[in-house]
Amino acid sequence: MPSAAPRILTGDRPTGPLHLGHYFGTLHNRVRLQNEGVELLLVIPDYQVITDRDVAEDLVTHTENLVVDYLAAGFDPTRSTVFTHSAVPALNQLLLPFLSLVSIAELGRNPTVKDEIAHSRQSAVSGLMYTYPVHQAADILFCKADLVPVGQDQVPHLELTRTIARRFNDRYGHVFPEPEALLSATPLLLGTDGTKMSKSRGNSIPLGATPDETAALIRRATTDADRRITYDPDSRPGVSGLVQLAALCQDRDPHAVAAEIGDGGAAALKRTVTEAVNTYLAPLRARRAEYVRDLSYVREVLREGNKRANAIAEVTLDEVRDAMGGFR
Ligand code: ATP
Ligand code: MG
């Protein structure tokens, strides 16, 4: 049982700017928990970028921008830790014993991996695509996280992490807690094309977009021919995704938002959503702009976080090697 405050670990691939799916799917929850006194660790899994593309383009820029977004959303570096995967070599040592605890069949069954293969930019599927959920188990277990605030797509990965923790403990004696997924009230926000909003799919509304860019992205969103606006995610994903966005930003019920627009059609819906998003994000965007002007501070936050993550990972790796019979 954890004796101190619970620890939470979560993170985002450095593949592009954070978007509203992140904000309502997990970022909001992370900051709330941090402010309630939970210890928060954020991993930027840079090696995971090359699961579905050949090279990690603009890696440093994307990484720094993630830290900017975290800070703007309320991440407090005096209480919380942010680090990149590639700066913590012990994580890759944990990967090896963890790989021995799962079968190829289990890796192949993962529904999120299947979805990502369908959207992959690569013609062949790499070994990393199948094994990154195990890498992710190392990211979560190295710090013995109790809770992992994530969106819906991460649930199969977390199940695998729990399996690995359980099997390791059964085989070698108790080392790891079995972490729990923490889903927000919005575990799956749809993008402007009616499928999961993703950094890599060109369907997202970035937190750092300008109001005009936001308006243009929403104008291009997929809707349908029915002028009457309703909230019905199963049969009208495009329209309902937009209604949901406005509702989240205005903290209202989506059915009420839809009813108010009534027969106004897609144009009125898009005007409402644009106004709601731009109003909601204005304070965050103002803070964001300040951090962008002070990138040396942002880099310092990451350097300190990497140091701290390495210290934690070394302790866990020693414990793992001892439990396994003295690997060195
Ligand atoms: P990529 O397209 O590069 O995979 P992504 O937008 O899927 O990017 P990730 O870095 O893979 O973002 O995911 C980071 C976290 O944000 C995860 O916990 C994931 O569940 C959550 N998340 C991402 N997109 C959404 C969304 N549309 N709705 C809710 N949560 C989301
Ligand atoms: Mg993703």
Side-chain angles (χ1 to χ4, degrees):
M1 283 301 288
S3 49
R7 197 175 248 183
I8 64 184
L9 178 288
T10 177
D12 311 280
R13 296 203 301 167
T15 47
L18 288 185
H19 50 67
L20 285 164
H22 296 114
Y23 189 82
F24 290 113
T26 143
L27 211 48
H28 196 262
N29 247 345
R30 302 175 190 176
V31 171
R32 178 180 60 81
L33 289 161
Q34 166 197 268
N35 294 342
E36 285 171 8
V38 167
E39 185 183 353
L40 174 66
L41 287 102
L42 294 185
V43 59
I44 299 179
D46 42 9
Y47 278 129
Q48 262 189 42
V49 175
I50 46 173
T51 52
D52 62 356
R53 66 204 75 197
D54 293 344
V55 281
E57 276 163 26
D58 302 319
L59 185 68
V60 174
T61 308
H62 287 325
T63 300
E64 288 173 0
N65 271 328
L66 281 184
V67 182
V68 165
D69 281 330
Y70 296 153
L71 290 164
F75 171 88
D76 175 359
T78 64
R79 287 190 274 176
S80 303
T81 304
V82 60
F83 65 97
T84 53
H85 192 143
S86 63
V88 187
L91 290 175
N92 301 325
Q93 290 258 354
L94 289 177
L95 175 66
L96 298 181
F98 287 1
L99 276 172
S100 77
L101 295 167
V102 293
S103 70
I104 298 278
E106 278 170 315
L107 295 175
R109 274 200 294 272
N110 186 310
T112 297
V113 169
K114 286 184 184 163
D115 181 55
E116 288 169 348
I117 289 171
H119 286 87
S120 168
R121 299 177 187 184
Q122 295 181 308
S123 49
V125 184
S126 73
L128 185 61
M129 175 59 101
Y130 280 108
T131 53
Y132 88 80
V134 184
H135 219 169
Q136 196 166 307
D139 296 341
I140 296 169
L141 295 177
F142 92 98
C143 66
K144 303 189 179 176
D146 308 286
L147 272 182
V148 187
V150 287
Q152 185 73 49
D153 60 314
Q154 296 296 313
V155 171
H157 297 351
L158 202 74
E159 211 32 68
L160 185 72
T161 297
R162 292 166 57 84
T163 301
I164 289 172
R166 206 164 43 241
R167 288 184 189 158
F168 187 96
N169 293 342
D170 286 348
R171 199 170 286 183
Y172 301 114
H174 187 89
V175 172
F176 296 112
E178 274 182 56
E180 311 255 355
L182 183 70
L183 288 173
S184 77
T186 316
L188 177 63
L189 189 77
L190 300 179
T192 52
D193 61 355
T195 77
K196 172 185 171 290
M197 187 179 284
S198 292
K199 295 187 219 92
S200 311
R201 298 186 190 175
N203 67 354
S204 73
I205 301 170
L207 299 178
T210 64
D212 284 348
E213 287 163 355
T214 303
L217 289 166
I218 293 171
R219 244 191 328 269
R220 287 208 304 269
T222 313
T223 50
D224 55 43
D226 189 348
R227 282 195 65 77
R228 179 150 196 87
I229 299 305
T230 55
Y231 181 65
D232 187 356
D234 290 333
S235 63
R236 300 182 78 187
V239 164
S240 303
L242 288 172
V243 170
Q244 184 192 23
L245 255 186
L248 285 166
C249 289
Q250 296 175 339
D251 195 16
R252 291 175 67 198
D253 176 63
H255 295 284
V257 172
E260 196 173 274
I261 301 166
D263 290 325
L269 171 62
K270 289 177 178 180
R271 271 196 307 277
T272 301
V273 177
T274 303
E275 168 71 23
V277 169
N278 283 336
T279 303
Y280 184 79
L281 287 181
L284 183 148
R285 286 171 169 169
R287 287 193 296 275
R288 209 184 172 286
E290 286 179 29
Y291 290 115
V292 168
R293 279 195 291 273
D294 193 4
L295 282 182
S296 59
Y297 171 72
V298 170
R299 290 175 191 134
E300 178 59 23
V301 166
L302 191 55
R303 253 194 315 277
E304 280 304 310
N306 283 338
K307 250 191 246 167
R308 186 163 149 62
N310 269 297
I312 298 171
E314 290 295 338
V315 171
T316 304
L317 182 59
D318 275 348
E319 216 178 323
V320 161
R321 288 159 158 174
D322 286 342
M324 292 177 68
F327 281 82
R328 276 300 180 276

